[in-house]
Amino acid sequence: MKPMTKSPLQIARASYQPKLPAALKGHVVLKEGTATQSVANQAEIKELFPNTYGMPLITFEAGEAGANPQVAVGVILSGGQAPGGHNVISGIYDGLKALNPANKLYGFLGGPSGLVDHKYIELTQEIVDEYRNTGGFDIIGSGRTKLEEEEQYEKGAEICHKLGINAIVIIGGDDSNTNACVLAEYYVQKNKGIQVIGCPKTIDGDLKNEMIETSFGFDTACKVYSELIGNIQRDANSAKKYWHFIRLMGRSASHIALECALQSQPNICLISEEVEAKNMTLSEIVEDIVKVIVNRSNHDLNFGTILIPEGLIEFIPAMKKLIAELNDLLAHNEDFNALETDDEKRQYVKGLLTPESSHVYRDLPKGIARQLTLDRDPHGNVQVSLIETEKLLIEMVAKRLAQLKAEGKFKGKFSALNHFFGYEGRCAIPSNFDADYTYSLGYTASLLISAGKTGYMSSVRNLTAPAAEWIAGGVPITMMMNMEKRHGKMKPVIQKALVLLDGAPFKYFAANRENWADEKSSYVYPGPIQYYGPTEVCDQPTRTLQLEKE
Ligand code: FBP
């Protein structure tokens, strides 16, 4: 047998031609809508972005051929991986070449730092072809360096001028697109002749608004996790002996957990935004879980599934306060870093917290308390993906059930297994939806550049319709902004989209969850992503998007 370098699916997917909105299949004409405003704090945002505030919405419609002067573009992948990133790049590449075969595309390596440190490659047809319809960001790599210093902007301009780059596309989440907007404004103010276009990426699904229906990668990641959850549910329903506590990525919002719940109908799904709105404590969450477990055990069902959003811990008000205190306390704290044992660190921290937080900290299992004091991310925040909330809940639920057993109120068995799904889905081969959506986003970005636009996010809308009917255009990034406190200072940022408790996806979940929790089996087994077959199997957007659009 010959050694294998690519799987049969990889080879087959390489030849997939992503679908484009019908309007982008030939020449286009740019249509401008009315002037826009930021979602809040209009006066402040206008003052901070005098050149890029208030620009109109843009759509591209089928039109006549026009002159397309030669351009060179640099692309950056920023932050966590999300399925479809490579197709954004192939969309930009194909879009640029269709406009003018002499156009060039460069990739800055390792994320935004590649721009600052002048690390880049020219993306040729051969390189781009190798990565079409694949998962991952490895074509040029990604990174979490923040572009926020003037010195970085100047270093960026230097390399762009050297390479003749007229425009940069930043593919990232809310923070990276906020920085893209600041960079766009800076380059206009300083007359640098460099346009900046953003692209909405993140599996977390929290970069969305009226004009950006979803971020790319959310669809594929949720489909991968839902398959795994479905498989676990089938196992649970067969073996009938384990409760599975499944933590799902999504550093802040619970969109991933909610979407997976809509797809797989687990017995319990916690939604952080609801926990915060109801001002719930950890013990109250545990009590709710215990109720379901006891009820099912009364029907001889000592098994089930529980979905836990990764960000949960930060939405429990008392924990949020504790984490905020720890963030301040541990920022550049040499004394703490010099301590050797976990016990010493625990004692040190306890002594400096407010009495209320010290109390919460003291009651946490040692492992979790330690995880809360691990290294912060580049923004100074606790890295929630490293906190094993699912284990914390298992420990607390087991303790409570043991008490109930002693009181004769729980007669069942409790045996739990923990899982964390995150990295399993972030680089998956993009679903047809993500492959088409990202290719269209990239293609649209090239049209925005060719039209001389800056400070826009590439947008593709009407996503629950077939791809041919999608609407491509651009949204001024300033339109998505408001002022928020960051590191003690008010800053213009893109508003993060959390799960709306009055939104259709949550309402549907809330109306059905009691049925899913009880003794009847409501599990759904979504199965793997399908790339070939009937369109109702292969080309469906997320349940979240469908419910939002219904
Ligand atoms: P982005 O916000 O950059 O898209 O990344 C999201 C995410 O995948 C979260 O779901 C997760 O908490 C985090 O990245 C993990 O970060 P890291 O890649 O640094 O482990």
Side-chain angles (χ1 to χ4, degrees), residues 243 245 282-283 285-287 289-291 293-294 306 365 389-407 410 412-417:
W243 272 92
F245 285 61
L282 202 45
S283 315
I285 297 171
V286 168
E287 211 52 43
I289 296 174
V290 163
K291 257 187 229 152
I293 295 177
V294 171
I306 304 181
T389 326
E390 70 285 19
K391 290 193 184 164
L392 168 70
L393 289 174
I394 290 177
E395 201 172 319
M396 294 183 74
V397 165
K399 211 166 154 186
R400 181 73 186 119
L401 286 170
Q403 278 172 358
L404 292 176
K405 189 157 238 173
E407 293 165 17
F410 173 57
K413 287 189 201 120
F414 177 67
S415 197
L417 293 175

Side-chain angles (χ1 to χ4, degrees), residues 232-242 244 303-305 523:
I232 286 178
Q233 292 186 153
R234 199 118 226 185
D235 196 291
N237 209 21
S238 309
K240 303 195 187 297
K241 60 178 179 180
Y242 296 122
H244 294 269
F303 66 91
T305 46
Y523 298 147

Side-chain angles (χ1 to χ4, degrees), residues 79-80 144 201-204 249-251 310 385 423 426:
R144 291 199 183 273
K201 171 236 70 167
T202 177
I203 60 161
D204 292 3
M249 252 192 190
R251 84 172 63 231
E310 174 182 74
S385 62
Y423 301 100
R426 287 204 317 185

Side-chain angles (χ1 to χ4, degrees), residues 160-301:
C160 287
H161 289 151
K162 186 171 158 212
L163 297 172
I165 289 179
N166 320 77
I168 301 171
V169 180
I170 298 183
I171 304 171
D174 52 340
D175 280 338
S176 308
N177 275 286
T178 295
N179 295 341
C181 193
V182 176
L183 189 63
E185 177 67 33
Y186 180 86
Y187 284 162
V188 180
Q189 272 178 22
K190 301 281 168 179
N191 230 341
K192 299 278 182 191
I194 306 166
Q195 303 155 239
V196 183
I197 299 294
C199 225
K201 171 236 70 167
T202 177
I203 60 161
D204 292 3
D206 55 11
L207 172 48
K208 64 174 172 180
N209 50 54
E210 209 190 322
M211 303 309 298
I212 302 293
E213 295 179 3
T214 187
S215 56
F216 78 77
F218 176 67
D219 182 89
T220 309
C222 289
K223 282 175 178 158
V224 171
Y225 306 144
S226 298
E227 180 204 350
L228 299 177
I229 294 162
N231 295 350
I232 286 178
Q233 292 186 153
R234 199 118 226 185
D235 196 291
N237 209 21
S238 309
K240 303 195 187 297
K241 60 178 179 180
Y242 296 122
W243 272 92
H244 294 269
F245 285 61
I246 306 166
R247 176 164 53 107
L248 292 157
M249 252 192 190
R251 84 172 63 231
S252 192
S254 308
H255 298 293
I256 294 180
L258 179 57
E259 170 64 20
C260 292
L262 296 172
Q263 288 194 32
S264 63
Q265 302 186 178
N267 299 106
I268 299 174
C269 174
L270 303 174
I271 299 295
S272 309
E273 290 82 346
E274 186 183 26
V275 165
E276 185 173 48
K278 291 186 172 167
N279 206 3
M280 289 174 84
T281 62
L282 202 45
S283 315
E284 284 167 338
I285 297 171
V286 168
E287 211 52 43
D288 281 357
I289 296 174
V290 163
K291 257 187 229 152
V292 175
I293 295 177
V294 171
N295 176 49
R296 280 176 64 83
S297 83
N298 289 340
H299 294 87
D300 243 0
L301 302 172

